Amino acid sequence: MYIHIFVTMRIEDEIKQEKFSSEYTKLLINLVYTGNRISFKTNEILKEKNLTLQQYNVLRILRGQHPDPATVNMIIDRMLDKMSNASRIVDKLEIKKLAQRTMNKEDKRCADVLITSKGLALLNELDEKVKVSEKSVIHLTIKEVKTLNDLLDKLRG
Amino acid sequence: MYIHIFVTMRIEDEIKQEKFSSEYTKLLINLVYTGNRISFKTNEILKEKNLTLQQYNVLRILRGQHPDPATVNMIIDRMLDKMSNASRIVDKLEIKKLAQRTMNKEDKRCADVLITSKGLALLNELDEKVKVSEKSVIHLTIKEVKTLNDLLDKLRG
DNA sequence: ACATAATATATGTATATACATATATTTGTA
DNA sequence: TACAAATATATGTATATACATATATTATGT
């Protein structure tokens, strides 16, 4: 017989830190820690398909544009981690035939990046799995999720 | 004359995504994006001192134990990113003379890790700067920060 | 038109990271 | 006691990342 007890575990206990110098410091740590926790679960699903989280996100950006192409600059603009190297992520997607680069006719500096049908199919396959996993790892009511989203939006000012 | 207008910017607008498939998906992206945003600011401060965010966090874990030593295992347990390589982060801290390893007398497998006085001084120097920076980048009242912390704690279940 | 600045992307390089595996030591057990 | 399992840490290796710089193209000012 298994008994599951879900209790709210404070971040202090979770990472065994006595106390934080301020609620603000605690928030940063809480954000990063919680983000990592959820990402980790998603990552496990992506690993089966040989995708990194970054590649997955870029692929979703490309799908958002489809059937129009995106440019590398557009991808950088929409990526979660602005510092990372969009060009080389597109390289990886191209190698896997999930995306394709073509030269932009109007501006030869730009590379048009298009998701392939293989890319679309892969995302399609992943969508439901990822959604279910995310939902199962987030122990909140839909109302709380909305509050959280609003607070995070406000946080960034 | 400068006029600052702070408006709440939804994550949809921020990363220019039309809509999310669910509030849960939005939350994951919102968390990672917001965490990155705050980390980025902190990182800028740390860069001046030639520290990575990870090294900084480990250093703070060591200070939390001081004057007792920590072990590498203890560090892994308390790190935000469980996947990363605590042993090699300690390597880096040792090279910079910010921490020191000695062999544990009771259990020769364990490495006792102690923050040095140089390490303590560096943290001391950074504390205030980091706190001010974090506070300035988090556009929330203290009450909202607390709500956010509580929600994140609950999220993890 | 021409030089210069700005823009979009790619690439070189050092470092960091994830993951698998190796090594050393301790614990449990027959 | 001897031997397998567990534990703590370190290390090899492939890949990812950050940052600086290079290259190609387009926009701008005179």
Side-chain angles (χ1 to χ4, degrees), chain A residues 90-119:
Chain A
V90 173
D91 286 351
K92 295 291 148 60
L93 294 176
E94 244 189 331
I95 290 169
K96 295 176 195 170
K97 310 267 188 224
L98 300 172
Q100 198 170 21
R101 253 188 278 233
T102 51
M103 195 215 272
N104 184 304
K105 296 284 194 290
E106 268 106 68
D107 187 338
K108 285 174 189 162
R109 292 170 302 180
C110 299
D112 282 345
V113 188
L114 255 175
I115 188 167
T116 63
S117 55
K118 189 181 169 193

Side-chain angles (χ1 to χ4, degrees), chain B residues 72 75-76 79 84-92 101:
Chain B
V72 173
I75 295 169
I76 292 171
M79 279 177 70
S84 63
N85 200 325
S87 177
R88 270 194 268 236
I89 293 175
V90 173
D91 286 351
K92 297 289 148 61
R101 252 189 277 233

Side-chain angles (χ1 to χ4, degrees), chain A residues 20-53:
Chain A
F20 293 99
S21 53
S22 83
E23 282 286 319
Y24 291 89
T25 305
K26 174 176 167 176
L27 179 55
L28 171 56
I29 296 195
N30 214 344
L31 268 176
V32 174
Y33 184 80
T34 308
N36 280 343
R37 172 83 83 85
I38 308 180
S39 305
F40 184 77
K41 278 289 267 184
T42 306
N43 215 20
E44 301 227 296
I45 295 170
L46 300 180
K47 239 187 306 186
E48 292 168 31
K49 302 292 179 184
N50 231 327
L51 271 187
T52 66
L53 206 58

Side-chain angles (χ1 to χ4, degrees), chain B residues 71-117:
Chain B
T71 63
V72 173
N73 223 23
M74 194 185 284
I75 295 169
I76 292 171
D77 204 40
R78 298 180 189 194
M79 279 177 70
L80 301 184
D81 183 355
K82 302 291 188 196
M83 285 301 97
S84 63
N85 200 325
S87 177
R88 270 194 268 236
I89 293 175
V90 173
D91 286 351
K92 297 289 148 61
L93 294 177
E94 244 188 330
I95 289 168
K96 296 177 196 169
K97 310 268 188 221
L98 300 172
Q100 198 170 22
R101 252 189 277 233
T102 52
M103 194 217 272
N104 184 304
K105 295 287 195 288
E106 268 106 69
D107 187 338
K108 285 175 189 162
R109 290 171 305 180
C110 299
D112 282 344
V113 188
L114 255 172
I115 188 168
T116 63
S117 54

